[in-house]
Amino acid sequence: MQASAQAITLSIVELGARLGMSVVAEGIENADQQAILVKSHCPIGQGYFISRPLSPAVFDEWLQHQMTMTKRA
């Protein structure tokens, strides 16, 4: 993530937190981006790094798998 993009992203996350809002990161493409967001208290996101677009049925299977993996951790 470029320094300017990271500064803007972290500012938006901080602003949302100060306003008592949940911020959802969009367009996460790699592990480094996700790590930066989680470290800045933005654990909710979507993007190709997490999953490609899925049909509703396949999404249900993916979600069940994710929930199972989370319980094991």
Side-chain angles (χ1 to χ4, degrees):
M1 185 181 299
Q2 293 179 350
S4 59
Q6 184 172 342
I8 292 167
T9 300
L10 298 179
S11 295
I12 292 169
V13 171
E14 183 179 345
L15 177 61
R18 288 177 183 243
L19 294 173
M21 304 171 93
S22 295
V23 177
V24 178
E26 188 174 282
I28 301 170
E29 295 182 1
N30 59 55
D32 290 338
Q33 290 174 344
Q34 186 176 31
I36 290 167
L37 290 161
V38 169
K39 185 177 179 182
S40 66
H41 307 289
C42 184
I44 303 170
Q46 66 85 27
Y48 285 154
F49 176 70
I50 297 167
S51 176
R52 299 285 181 181
L54 304 171
S55 69
V58 175
F59 172 78
D60 288 342
E61 292 175 23
W62 177 86
L63 182 59
Q64 288 298 324
H65 175 75
Q66 295 299 315
M67 292 171 59
T68 301
M69 297 305 290
T70 300
K71 288 178 184 178
R72 291 181 185 172

